[in-house]
Amino acid sequence: MKKTTLSAVVVAVIAASIGGAFAYRSHARTAEIDSMRPAVNLTSAYVSQVLQADTKPSSMTFGEFFSKTNQALEEIDKKEIELKSQDIKYAVDERATALAYMASAQEAIRGESALYHKKSDVKFAFSQTDDAIAEMTSASTSDNPYSFKYARERADKALERAKKSASELTDAQNDLVTSLKAVRAASENATQTFASKDTPAADIDAALKANAPAPASGTAAPKTADAAH
């Protein structure tokens, strides 16, 4: 009888020990996840802010936009470094999810920045082209044939630069769409993992729609200077 009682006590002690260890691990894991949530929320906030500049009416200048993207990249990078340096024992997979989301968010933000750089380049290139064509048109009434020849050559070069800028803009849009699809999947995973209430999903979807490739039949390459003339 005493032996049976002793065995029951041992089993109870072992069970309590296991239960206590499990409860501790569960509590520690929850605490680790909670410590990562601010980094995930910060990332989502910056993704939304940057993408909204591309999808919603705004008076933001190119300079202000680049300043915003640089700030976003720097802040996310700081949180990424902090997260990597944390002593995480139980929420290892969750940290990997957060870091993957942050990395994909940075790629999308860089993609938006690159796209805006190309938009700025295109705006400048076509402005130069308009000026060159106007100069060529004016020179066409001149009695000096060399004046017109120079103006036409300048216009042709400006048009080539404009075509190149337009092509690079298309490439930047395609790269952005790829990064947006990646961050869309990563954000959904992070939102579920960290039970986040704020998600950039709607802003990502809007940016994907805004940068969807235009139908090939609807595009027209810039004319040559002769044709423009």
Side-chain angles (χ1 to χ4, degrees):
M1 183 69 177
K2 288 183 179 180
K3 185 176 181 180
T4 301
T5 302
L6 181 60
S7 296
V9 170
V10 171
V11 170
V13 169
I14 293 174
S17 177
I18 293 174
F22 178 79
Y24 171 78
R25 284 196 297 271
S26 178
H27 175 75
R29 179 173 173 274
T30 298
E32 289 177 351
I33 292 173
D34 288 343
S35 71
M36 302 176 202
R37 192 169 284 112
V40 172
N41 291 339
L42 177 82
T43 300
S44 295
Y46 272 123
V47 169
S48 288
Q49 288 176 23
V50 170
L51 295 184
Q52 283 174 10
D54 188 30
T55 59
K56 295 184 177 181
S58 173
S59 59
M60 186 180 295
T61 65
F62 283 122
E64 290 170 340
F65 179 78
F66 296 140
S67 177
K68 169 62 71 176
T69 57
N70 287 337
Q71 179 186 6
L73 291 171
E74 288 175 6
E75 292 297 324
I76 294 174
D77 192 53
K78 287 179 184 177
K79 289 296 182 182
E80 187 177 25
I81 292 172
E82 290 176 9
L83 200 52
K84 287 179 178 179
S85 65
Q86 278 185 249
D87 184 17
I88 300 297
K89 294 181 179 179
Y90 305 104
V92 176
D93 290 342
E94 287 79 2
R95 175 165 63 179
T97 296
L99 290 173
Y101 175 39
M102 295 166 81
S104 65
Q106 288 176 307
E107 282 303 306
I109 292 170
R110 290 189 187 98
E112 275 286 1
S113 181
L115 179 64
Y116 264 70
H117 273 293
K118 293 306 177 185
K119 284 182 177 180
S120 178
D121 290 345
V122 166
K123 184 177 180 181
F124 178 70
F126 276 85
S127 175
Q128 282 194 318
T129 300
D130 289 341
D131 291 343
I133 290 176
E135 181 183 341
M136 184 184 70
T137 302
S138 176
S140 66
T141 62
S142 172
D143 293 333
N144 186 347
Y146 294 103
S147 177
F148 176 74
K149 180 182 178 182
Y150 170 78
R152 187 179 66 180
E153 290 175 351
R154 181 172 177 268
D156 281 337
K157 289 179 181 178
L159 282 165
E160 284 303 314
R161 287 194 295 268
K163 282 193 239 182
K164 182 181 178 182
S165 294
S167 176
E168 290 175 348
L169 176 62
T170 299
D171 291 342
Q173 278 187 306
N174 292 337
D175 290 343
L176 175 60
V177 167
T178 298
S179 64
L180 286 173
K181 289 178 179 178
V183 76
R184 180 67 169 82
S187 71
E188 188 171 334
N189 194 14
T191 297
Q192 293 175 354
T193 299
F194 293 93
S196 301
K197 294 181 180 179
D198 297 325
T199 170
D203 294 311
I204 296 172
D205 290 342
L208 280 168
K209 183 178 180 180
N211 291 284
S217 59
T219 57
K223 300 176 182 179
T224 63
D226 284 333
H229 174 61

PDB file of all heavy atoms in Angstrom, residues 96-115:
ATOM      1  N   ALA A  96      11.574  34.282 -37.516  1.00  0.00           N
ATOM      2  CA  ALA A  96      11.881  34.097 -38.929  1.00  0.00           C
ATOM      3  C   ALA A  96      10.773  34.697 -39.796  1.00  0.00           C
ATOM      4  O   ALA A  96      11.047  35.320 -40.834  1.00  0.00           O
ATOM      5  CB  ALA A  96      12.055  32.611 -39.244  1.00  0.00           C
ATOM      6  N   THR A  97       9.537  34.543 -39.362  1.00  0.00           N
ATOM      7  CA  THR A  97       8.398  35.115 -40.095  1.00  0.00           C
ATOM      8  C   THR A  97       8.473  36.633 -40.103  1.00  0.00           C
ATOM      9  O   THR A  97       8.266  37.280 -41.136  1.00  0.00           O
ATOM     10  CB  THR A  97       7.075  34.663 -39.457  1.00  0.00           C
ATOM     11  OG1 THR A  97       6.945  33.245 -39.587  1.00  0.00           O
ATOM     12  CG2 THR A  97       5.881  35.342 -40.121  1.00  0.00           C
ATOM     13  N   ALA A  98       8.784  37.215 -38.951  1.00  0.00           N
ATOM     14  CA  ALA A  98       8.882  38.670 -38.838  1.00  0.00           C
ATOM     15  C   ALA A  98      10.020  39.209 -39.698  1.00  0.00           C
ATOM     16  O   ALA A  98       9.857  40.210 -40.414  1.00  0.00           O
ATOM     17  CB  ALA A  98       9.096  39.069 -37.382  1.00  0.00           C
ATOM     18  N   LEU A  99      11.163  38.555 -39.648  1.00  0.00           N
ATOM     19  CA  LEU A  99      12.323  39.017 -40.423  1.00  0.00           C
ATOM     20  C   LEU A  99      12.077  38.893 -41.927  1.00  0.00           C
ATOM     21  O   LEU A  99      12.488  39.760 -42.704  1.00  0.00           O
ATOM     22  CB  LEU A  99      13.570  38.212 -40.031  1.00  0.00           C
ATOM     23  CG  LEU A  99      14.128  38.497 -38.630  1.00  0.00           C
ATOM     24  CD1 LEU A  99      15.245  37.514 -38.284  1.00  0.00           C
ATOM     25  CD2 LEU A  99      14.639  39.933 -38.527  1.00  0.00           C
ATOM     26  N   ALA A 100      11.393  37.827 -42.330  1.00  0.00           N
ATOM     27  CA  ALA A 100      11.074  37.659 -43.746  1.00  0.00           C
ATOM     28  C   ALA A 100      10.133  38.767 -44.216  1.00  0.00           C
ATOM     29  O   ALA A 100      10.284  39.303 -45.323  1.00  0.00           O
ATOM     30  CB  ALA A 100      10.431  36.292 -43.983  1.00  0.00           C
ATOM     31  N   TYR A 101       9.185  39.117 -43.365  1.00  0.00           N
ATOM     32  CA  TYR A 101       8.252  40.198 -43.692  1.00  0.00           C
ATOM     33  C   TYR A 101       8.980  41.532 -43.807  1.00  0.00           C
ATOM     34  O   TYR A 101       8.771  42.297 -44.756  1.00  0.00           O
ATOM     35  CB  TYR A 101       7.167  40.269 -42.615  1.00  0.00           C
ATOM     36  CG  TYR A 101       6.201  41.418 -42.773  1.00  0.00           C
ATOM     37  CD1 TYR A 101       5.731  41.814 -44.033  1.00  0.00           C
ATOM     38  CD2 TYR A 101       5.744  42.110 -41.659  1.00  0.00           C
ATOM     39  CE1 TYR A 101       4.831  42.864 -44.165  1.00  0.00           C
ATOM     40  CE2 TYR A 101       4.839  43.155 -41.775  1.00  0.00           C
ATOM     41  CZ  TYR A 101       4.392  43.527 -43.036  1.00  0.00           C
ATOM     42  OH  TYR A 101       3.505  44.572 -43.177  1.00  0.00           O
ATOM     43  N   MET A 102       9.852  41.812 -42.863  1.00  0.00           N
ATOM     44  CA  MET A 102      10.592  43.067 -42.870  1.00  0.00           C
ATOM     45  C   MET A 102      11.498  43.183 -44.093  1.00  0.00           C
ATOM     46  O   MET A 102      11.617  44.249 -44.713  1.00  0.00           O
ATOM     47  CB  MET A 102      11.398  43.193 -41.575  1.00  0.00           C
ATOM     48  CG  MET A 102      10.512  43.299 -40.330  1.00  0.00           C
ATOM     49  SD  MET A 102      11.391  43.054 -38.776  1.00  0.00           S
ATOM     50  CE  MET A 102      12.094  44.684 -38.551  1.00  0.00           C
ATOM     51  N   ALA A 103      12.125  42.077 -44.469  1.00  0.00           N
ATOM     52  CA  ALA A 103      13.000  42.083 -45.647  1.00  0.00           C
ATOM     53  C   ALA A 103      12.196  42.326 -46.922  1.00  0.00           C
ATOM     54  O   ALA A 103      12.603  43.106 -47.796  1.00  0.00           O
ATOM     55  CB  ALA A 103      13.755  40.756 -45.747  1.00  0.00           C
ATOM     56  N   SER A 104      11.047  41.669 -47.040  1.00  0.00           N
ATOM     57  CA  SER A 104      10.219  41.851 -48.239  1.00  0.00           C
ATOM     58  C   SER A 104       9.626  43.256 -48.278  1.00  0.00           C
ATOM     59  O   SER A 104       9.460  43.834 -49.360  1.00  0.00           O
ATOM     60  CB  SER A 104       9.103  40.801 -48.290  1.00  0.00           C
ATOM     61  OG  SER A 104       8.196  40.967 -47.210  1.00  0.00           O
ATOM     62  N   ALA A 105       9.324  43.813 -47.107  1.00  0.00           N
ATOM     63  CA  ALA A 105       8.811  45.184 -47.043  1.00  0.00           C
ATOM     64  C   ALA A 105       9.864  46.174 -47.531  1.00  0.00           C
ATOM     65  O   ALA A 105       9.560  47.122 -48.271  1.00  0.00           O
ATOM     66  CB  ALA A 105       8.392  45.519 -45.611  1.00  0.00           C
ATOM     67  N   GLN A 106      11.110  45.971 -47.115  1.00  0.00           N
ATOM     68  CA  GLN A 106      12.188  46.852 -47.564  1.00  0.00           C
ATOM     69  C   GLN A 106      12.377  46.781 -49.075  1.00  0.00           C
ATOM     70  O   GLN A 106      12.618  47.796 -49.725  1.00  0.00           O
ATOM     71  CB  GLN A 106      13.494  46.491 -46.842  1.00  0.00           C
ATOM     72  CG  GLN A 106      13.504  46.907 -45.372  1.00  0.00           C
ATOM     73  CD  GLN A 106      14.756  46.452 -44.652  1.00  0.00           C
ATOM     74  OE1 GLN A 106      15.120  45.275 -44.679  1.00  0.00           O
ATOM     75  NE2 GLN A 106      15.439  47.375 -44.023  1.00  0.00           N
ATOM     76  N   GLU A 107      12.242  45.578 -49.637  1.00  0.00           N
ATOM     77  CA  GLU A 107      12.363  45.434 -51.091  1.00  0.00           C
ATOM     78  C   GLU A 107      11.248  46.188 -51.807  1.00  0.00           C
ATOM     79  O   GLU A 107      11.476  46.838 -52.834  1.00  0.00           O
ATOM     80  CB  GLU A 107      12.330  43.953 -51.482  1.00  0.00           C
ATOM     81  CG  GLU A 107      13.632  43.213 -51.242  1.00  0.00           C
ATOM     82  CD  GLU A 107      14.809  43.843 -51.969  1.00  0.00           C
ATOM     83  OE1 GLU A 107      14.717  44.037 -53.194  1.00  0.00           O
ATOM     84  OE2 GLU A 107      15.815  44.166 -51.311  1.00  0.00           O
ATOM     85  N   ALA A 108      10.043  46.104 -51.276  1.00  0.00           N
ATOM     86  CA  ALA A 108       8.911  46.808 -51.889  1.00  0.00           C
ATOM     87  C   ALA A 108       9.099  48.322 -51.792  1.00  0.00           C
ATOM     88  O   ALA A 108       8.811  49.056 -52.746  1.00  0.00           O
ATOM     89  CB  ALA A 108       7.608  46.387 -51.212  1.00  0.00           C
ATOM     90  N   ILE A 109       9.586  48.789 -50.653  1.00  0.00           N
ATOM     91  CA  ILE A 109       9.816  50.228 -50.477  1.00  0.00           C
ATOM     92  C   ILE A 109      10.924  50.701 -51.412  1.00  0.00           C
ATOM     93  O   ILE A 109      10.829  51.773 -52.021  1.00  0.00           O
ATOM     94  CB  ILE A 109      10.156  50.537 -49.006  1.00  0.00           C
ATOM     95  CG1 ILE A 109       8.918  50.300 -48.124  1.00  0.00           C
ATOM     96  CG2 ILE A 109      10.653  51.982 -48.848  1.00  0.00           C
ATOM     97  CD1 ILE A 109       9.192  50.352 -46.634  1.00  0.00           C
ATOM     98  N   ARG A 110      11.991  49.912 -51.545  1.00  0.00           N
ATOM     99  CA  ARG A 110      13.049  50.258 -52.503  1.00  0.00           C
ATOM    100  C   ARG A 110      12.493  50.269 -53.930  1.00  0.00           C
ATOM    101  O   ARG A 110      12.882  51.104 -54.756  1.00  0.00           O
ATOM    102  CB  ARG A 110      14.206  49.257 -52.402  1.00  0.00           C
ATOM    103  CG  ARG A 110      15.026  49.365 -51.128  1.00  0.00           C
ATOM    104  CD  ARG A 110      16.280  48.509 -51.201  1.00  0.00           C
ATOM    105  NE  ARG A 110      16.971  48.476 -49.930  1.00  0.00           N
ATOM    106  CZ  ARG A 110      16.870  47.495 -49.032  1.00  0.00           C
ATOM    107  NH1 ARG A 110      16.104  46.433 -49.306  1.00  0.00           N
ATOM    108  NH2 ARG A 110      17.524  47.539 -47.884  1.00  0.00           N
ATOM    109  N   GLY A 111      11.587  49.337 -54.204  1.00  0.00           N
ATOM    110  CA  GLY A 111      10.967  49.286 -55.520  1.00  0.00           C
ATOM    111  C   GLY A 111      10.149  50.529 -55.807  1.00  0.00           C
ATOM    112  O   GLY A 111      10.185  51.070 -56.918  1.00  0.00           O
ATOM    113  N   GLU A 112       9.424  51.008 -54.802  1.00  0.00           N
ATOM    114  CA  GLU A 112       8.646  52.240 -54.966  1.00  0.00           C
ATOM    115  C   GLU A 112       9.578  53.430 -55.182  1.00  0.00           C
ATOM    116  O   GLU A 112       9.318  54.303 -56.010  1.00  0.00           O
ATOM    117  CB  GLU A 112       7.779  52.487 -53.734  1.00  0.00           C
ATOM    118  CG  GLU A 112       6.447  51.769 -53.752  1.00  0.00           C
ATOM    119  CD  GLU A 112       5.450  52.390 -54.711  1.00  0.00           C
ATOM    120  OE1 GLU A 112       5.787  53.373 -55.390  1.00  0.00           O
ATOM    121  OE2 GLU A 112       4.320  51.884 -54.798  1.00  0.00           O
ATOM    122  N   SER A 113      10.671  53.470 -54.427  1.00  0.00           N
ATOM    123  CA  SER A 113      11.630  54.562 -54.568  1.00  0.00           C
ATOM    124  C   SER A 113      12.252  54.554 -55.960  1.00  0.00           C
ATOM    125  O   SER A 113      12.382  55.601 -56.601  1.00  0.00           O
ATOM    126  CB  SER A 113      12.722  54.426 -53.499  1.00  0.00           C
ATOM    127  OG  SER A 113      13.657  55.494 -53.592  1.00  0.00           O
ATOM    128  N   ALA A 114      12.614  53.364 -56.431  1.00  0.00           N
ATOM    129  CA  ALA A 114      13.202  53.241 -57.774  1.00  0.00           C
ATOM    130  C   ALA A 114      12.205  53.678 -58.837  1.00  0.00           C
ATOM    131  O   ALA A 114      12.562  54.353 -59.811  1.00  0.00           O
ATOM    132  CB  ALA A 114      13.635  51.800 -58.024  1.00  0.00           C
ATOM    133  N   LEU A 115      10.942  53.314 -58.653  1.00  0.00           N
ATOM    134  CA  LEU A 115       9.903  53.702 -59.603  1.00  0.00           C
ATOM    135  C   LEU A 115       9.754  55.216 -59.658  1.00  0.00           C
ATOM    136  O   LEU A 115       9.649  55.803 -60.743  1.00  0.00           O
ATOM    137  CB  LEU A 115       8.571  53.064 -59.207  1.00  0.00           C
ATOM    138  CG  LEU A 115       7.373  53.404 -60.105  1.00  0.00           C
ATOM    139  CD1 LEU A 115       7.592  52.872 -61.511  1.00  0.00           C
ATOM    140  CD2 LEU A 115       6.083  52.845 -59.516  1.00  0.00           C
TER     141      LEU A 115
END
